[in-house]
């Protein structure tokens, strides 16, 4: 699944309903340039005048003969990078868990209108993201060079995520709930393949083994207590295959996002690309492709296209609690709005983590939120007062997941991986 704000979440058809998985190394600063001042006095004065002319305002320099001067900012140490990734991962996990829990709570008042909620976030985020982008452009944070990046890559992201939504919805309608998060674990495998093919990365056996352990751990955790032996009996192979293809679309979109950050470091002279450029144009193109696929998507959700306007009108009335005859919408609009705000914060944090690390690290971090979310959803919550007990297999699967994360992160990157960074 992608990291975009418009990704649809599907829940298990039980009291533990939980969302399916969503799913660059930060550009390194330029190396310090050492300049030795010349001994010849006339040459020295000419170079000094050029340096003063190029020096930024409000800067001071102490110039001595034979003095070596650093002409660029410090390169962050590996320790600082690791600390930044750790902090970003912790923030992402927090928002990921809150996002999944609040999505389930938001569906309490919107249980009859999940398609409205999905489309509302899809097109609403376009307005919000571009508004933020405009403000940051006026403030000088976003530059013309950033806005001038090739739009074909953002169009590819939008198309892949829209296709991922369409194929995911089509297959989800034909698959049992527990099979959905299991099949979506192929997202990690697709990311490893695309990262190696498109970005030229190479992973050690420990890193590959860690990713596989994470996938196995989630499978065990989310299927604890389920009749896994008969899960796909009587279902045509094309439907689980289509769900796997959906994960491939979403993984491809995340890899393209990572490529955009890496390529922008070269195009922008090592300047950091603002994440709202990627969020805004990616969401904009996704909304465009979703709009083109709207007749298909509505029919996949069992809503005839001719009845779509009245469905959206009823959904909006429930969302805003307009009209005295509306019932079953208790908790709106507070719970849906909390979900939307948290979902936006989550998507921003995921994209920031992808920017400072890689698509694989971001995916593994989000994966960790799955068992945590299931555990929280098993507790009594507002509007969901009925708690439940978890199988011992849940703890076992979570332990395997944690082992995989540790194995991946302690693995030393290979030479090829380092070179691609």
């Amino acid at each position: 699944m992608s990291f975009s704000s418009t990704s649809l979440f599907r829940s298990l058809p039980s009291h533990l309903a939980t969302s399916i998985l969503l799913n660059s190394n930060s550009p390194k600063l330029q190396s310090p340039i050492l300049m030795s001042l010349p001994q010849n006095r006339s040459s020295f004065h000419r170079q000094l005048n050029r340096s003063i002319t190029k020096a930024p305002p409000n800067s001071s320099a102490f110039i001595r003969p034979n003095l070596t001067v650093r002409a660029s900012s410090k390169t962050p140490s590996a320790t600082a990078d690791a600390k930044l990734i750790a902090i970003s991962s912790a923030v992402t996990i927090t928002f990921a868990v809150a996002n999944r829990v609040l999505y389930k709570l938001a569906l309490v008042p919107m249980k009859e209108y999940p398609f409205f909620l999905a489309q509302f976030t899809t097109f609403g985020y376009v307005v919000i993201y571009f508004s933020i982008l405009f403000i940051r452009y006026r403030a000088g944070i976003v530059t013309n060079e950033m806005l001038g990046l090739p739009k074909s890559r953002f169009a590819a992201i939008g198309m892949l995520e829209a296709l991922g939504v369409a194929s995911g919805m089509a297959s989800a309608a034909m698959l049992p709930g527990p099979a959905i998060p299991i099949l979506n674990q192929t997202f990690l495998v697709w990311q490893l393949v695309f990262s190696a093919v498109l970005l030229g990365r190479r992973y050690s056996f420990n890193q590959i083994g860690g990713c596989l352990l994470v996938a196995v751990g989630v499978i065990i955790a989310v299927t604890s207590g389920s009749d896994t032996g008969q899960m796909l009996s009587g279902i045509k192979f094309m439907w689980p295959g289509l769900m796997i293809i959906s994960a491939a679309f979403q993984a491809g979109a995340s890899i393209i996002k990572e490529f955009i950050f890496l390529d922008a470091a070269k195009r922008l002279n090592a300047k950091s690309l603002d994440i709202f450029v990627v969020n805004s144009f990616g969401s904009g193109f996704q909304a465009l492709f979703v709009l083109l696929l709207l007749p298909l998507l509505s029919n996949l959700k069992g809503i005839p296209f001719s009845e779509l306007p009245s469905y959206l009108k009823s959904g909006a009335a429930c969302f805003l609690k307009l009209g005295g005859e509306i019932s079953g919408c208790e908790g709106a609009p507070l719970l849906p709005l909390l979900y939307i705000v948290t979902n936006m914060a989550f998507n921003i944090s995921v994209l920031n983590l992808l920017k400072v690390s890689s698509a694989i690290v971001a995916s593994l971090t989000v994966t960790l939120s799955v068992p945590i979310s299931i555990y929280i959803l098993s507790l009594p919550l507002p509007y969901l007062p009925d708690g439940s007990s978890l199988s011992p297999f849940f703890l076992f699967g979570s332990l395997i997941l944690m082992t995989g994360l540790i194995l991946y992160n302690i693995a030393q990157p290979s030479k090829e991986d380092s070179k691609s960074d």
Side-chain angles (χ1 to χ4, degrees):
M1 179 182 293
S2 76
F3 300 134
S4 72
S5 61
T6 55
S7 296
L8 297 180
F9 304 95
R10 307 175 194 87
S11 56
L12 300 177
S14 67
H15 51 279
L16 292 182
T18 184
S19 309
I20 62 176
L21 289 177
L22 304 174
N23 306 214
S24 74
N25 290 328
S26 58
K28 293 184 172 55
L29 299 178
Q30 291 178 322
S31 302
I33 303 172
L34 302 181
M35 300 184 299
S36 296
L37 300 179
Q39 296 296 323
N40 182 276
R41 178 169 297 183
S42 59
S43 175
F44 169 74
H45 280 295
R46 287 195 299 271
Q47 185 168 343
L48 175 60
N49 290 334
R50 287 196 299 267
S51 301
I52 293 175
T53 302
K54 295 180 180 180
N58 302 324
S59 64
S60 59
F62 297 93
I63 304 174
R64 301 187 185 95
N66 300 324
L67 177 66
T68 300
V69 181
R70 292 188 181 274
S72 66
S73 57
K74 297 184 296 181
T75 301
S77 64
T79 303
D81 288 341
K83 185 177 181 180
L84 176 61
I85 292 174
I87 294 174
S88 300
S89 298
V91 172
T92 301
I93 291 174
T94 301
F95 281 125
V97 173
N99 179 67
R100 295 178 186 279
V101 174
L102 284 172
Y103 175 73
K104 178 61 179 176
L105 292 174
L107 286 179
V108 173
M110 302 296 296
K111 59 182 178 293
E112 300 296 332
Y113 306 100
F115 186 71
F116 166 83
L117 185 61
Q119 301 313 310
F120 180 81
T121 56
T122 298
F123 296 98
Y125 286 168
V126 174
V127 177
I128 296 174
Y129 281 139
F130 272 100
S131 298
I132 296 175
L133 181 66
F134 177 75
I135 294 173
R136 293 173 75 83
Y137 175 75
R138 293 294 298 270
I141 301 174
V142 175
T143 64
N144 290 325
E145 291 78 9
M146 295 180 186
L147 297 178
L149 292 175
K151 301 301 184 297
S152 58
R153 297 165 183 173
F154 299 112
I157 292 173
M159 181 184 66
L160 287 173
E161 291 183 337
L163 290 174
V165 168
S167 56
M169 287 178 61
S171 57
M174 306 301 295
L175 292 171
I180 296 173
I182 295 175
L183 294 171
N184 270 281
Q185 299 316 302
T186 57
F187 180 86
L188 278 173
V189 178
W190 286 116
Q191 276 194 326
L192 283 172
V193 173
F194 292 152
S195 181
V197 173
L198 300 179
L199 301 181
R201 294 189 183 278
R202 297 296 180 267
Y203 296 95
S204 67
F205 287 110
N206 285 349
Q207 290 173 311
I208 296 174
C211 286
L212 293 178
L213 280 178
V214 168
V216 171
V218 173
I219 290 173
I220 294 176
V222 300
T223 58
S224 57
S226 301
D227 185 10
T228 56
Q230 303 297 322
M231 186 179 299
L232 296 178
S233 61
I235 296 177
K236 294 182 179 179
F237 176 76
M238 66 171 292
W239 300 118
L242 191 59
M243 180 61 72
I244 294 174
I245 293 175
S246 171
F249 285 137
Q250 303 288 359
S254 70
I255 295 299
I256 294 177
K257 290 178 184 178
E258 181 178 354
F259 173 79
I260 288 175
F261 282 116
L262 292 173
D263 183 66
K266 302 174 184 177
R267 293 175 177 267
L268 304 177
N269 297 321
K271 291 182 181 178
S272 180
L273 175 63
D274 190 82
I275 60 176
F276 282 97
V277 175
V278 181
N279 258 344
S280 300
F281 287 105
S283 297
F285 279 109
Q286 182 180 355
L288 174 62
F289 284 105
V290 166
L291 186 63
L292 296 176
L293 294 173
L294 199 56
L296 172 64
L297 294 175
S298 63
N299 279 281
L300 290 175
K301 295 301 293 183
I303 306 168
F305 187 69
S306 59
E307 299 178 9
L308 185 60
S310 60
Y311 170 86
L312 295 176
K313 181 179 178 181
S314 299
C318 180
F319 182 87
L320 299 173
K321 292 190 70 172
L322 298 176
E325 71 282 359
I326 295 179
S327 61
C329 299
E330 291 76 13
L334 177 61
L335 292 178
L337 287 177
L338 282 176
Y339 161 69
I340 291 172
V341 172
T342 304
N343 184 252
M344 179 177 296
F346 164 66
N347 285 294
I348 293 172
S349 67
V350 167
L351 195 58
N352 179 69
L353 179 59
L354 185 149
K355 177 181 177 180
V356 303
S357 59
S358 70
I360 299 296
V361 172
S363 179
L364 291 172
T365 301
V366 174
T367 302
L368 181 58
S369 70
V370 175
I372 299 176
S373 303
I374 294 177
Y375 172 73
I376 294 177
L377 287 170
S378 70
L379 303 174
L381 297 173
Y383 298 95
L384 293 172
D386 298 329
S388 60
S389 59
L390 295 173
S391 165
F393 285 99
F394 174 81
L395 182 60
F396 179 62
S398 300
L399 181 61
I400 294 178
L401 185 151
M402 290 299 300
T403 303
L405 289 173
I406 294 173
L407 182 61
Y408 179 89
N409 285 288
I410 65 175
Q412 296 296 325
S414 62
K415 293 181 180 179
E416 292 86 351
D417 192 14
S418 300
K419 182 175 67 175
S420 68
D421 293 345

